[in-house]
Amino acid sequence: MNKINVVGLGYIGLPTALMLAAYDIDVIGTDYNEKLVQTLNDGHITFSEDGLEELFQKALKKGIIFSTEYACTDKYIVAVPTPYNKKNKKIDAHYIIGAIDAILSVCKKGATIVIESTISPGTIDKVVRPFVEAKQFVVGKDIHLVHAPERIIPGNMIFELKYNSRTIGADDMDKGEEIKEIYSFFCQGEIVVTDIRTAEMTKVVENTYRDINIAFANELAKICQSDGMNVYEIIKIANKHPRVNILAPGPGVGGHCISVDPWFLVGDYPGLANIIFAARKINDSMPEYVLSRIAEIMQENKITNLSRVGFYGLTYKEDVDDVRESPTLQILASMKSHLSNGFVQVYDPYIEENIVSNQKHEFTEFIDNIDLIVILVAHSEIRQRMKELKGKVIFDTRKICTLPGTYYL
Ligand code: SAJ
């Protein structure tokens, strides 16, 4: 009988737990956040995502349990955050260690702990394994360690959980195959079994590749802007080459994956991770760059009152409700350091709570009170209501507006 305790019910743990339960696996979801567990037990999902509510209802019918307690079982999936230390850029594994500590105090002998959280290459060998051994468990006998990083993209998580291929890293290939069987309940993509170090590195490499590609697009945007060329047209044409696929420039790279994972490589391999470091710096420079463009556009249009400027979008990307590392928040923080963020109007249809100053909660009210709109997130809402921006000065950092006179990156 498969009974799995999924630890960490955030953006990755919750959909994974629900998916397993929907496919008839006995699932207990654990999170130390009492409020979050209470919300789930009250019958509400904790973030919005296409198809999540339906999956939640299915999992509830199949008997999924949510608790702050860890379960005594022989299989655990750990999906807790793995931030990086902002000073030395290395992984901060304290959530992982906390979860493993709690698991070791309740698990069955011979249990398998699958770590889904993204970890820097070598974390299992350098941090997790010694911790488990120090607790007098023999790895490979009393406890099996597996790394199964996820690949799902916020905005299309449920579909990608089912159809993406995945990687499983294990010391012992038979253990890897056993865990592969569990993921195969719902995952129709290819599941590659490899060693732990390779799985750790592969995951970080995937996000770093995307970060570098976005940085290239952002650097091109700056070059083209400085010399009167249209970066979007250039990328569009270049991408017609069969072996070129440049991503889109934007106001910065947010979220808790792409803006974090490359730092692990910079922190662990200083002096070697050069292009990776440069890409991070370019992407991190974009919010400031957007600010300097806003200043130019205001000057050109004789707009002097910051309260007539509106920022559309607070989330880190379109059609999600996640604001972690969001470029808009970075722009506002930068303005605050110059004592001026209290003035711009801000609106995001996905953020109901007041999280910044001058936040509006209704599109028309937001639009009616500004002269310059800065589109920072390409939510479906604004794509559908583009006509309502007629007559405004528009600075579109996402290249979604086709109204004449629009400014781009
Ligand atoms: N962005 C651009 N230009 C682009 C694409 C994205 O500026 O052309 C920006 C977005 O606006 C956003 C940021 O980059 O601020 C990151 O967004 P994203 O959609 O590229 O990626 P995430 O962070 O939502 O999800 C990534 C995905 N990784 C890859 O595509 C390699 C996802 O598959 C991973 O599962 C996820 O990280 C994760 O959890 O690691």
Side-chain angles (χ1 to χ4, degrees), residues 5-7 28-32 37 66-72 106:
N5 188 189
V6 177
V7 177
I28 298 165
T30 299
D31 201 293
Y32 73 171
V37 170
F66 302 108
S67 172
T68 51
E69 304 289 320
Y70 285 70
C72 171
V106 295

Side-chain angles (χ1 to χ4, degrees), residues 35-53:
K35 201 171 147 213
L36 183 144
V37 170
Q38 190 58 50
T39 306
L40 294 169
N41 280 330
D42 287 345
H44 306 293
I45 49 175
T46 42
F47 61 97
S48 71
E49 176 68 38
D50 250 10
L52 191 65
E53 178 62 35

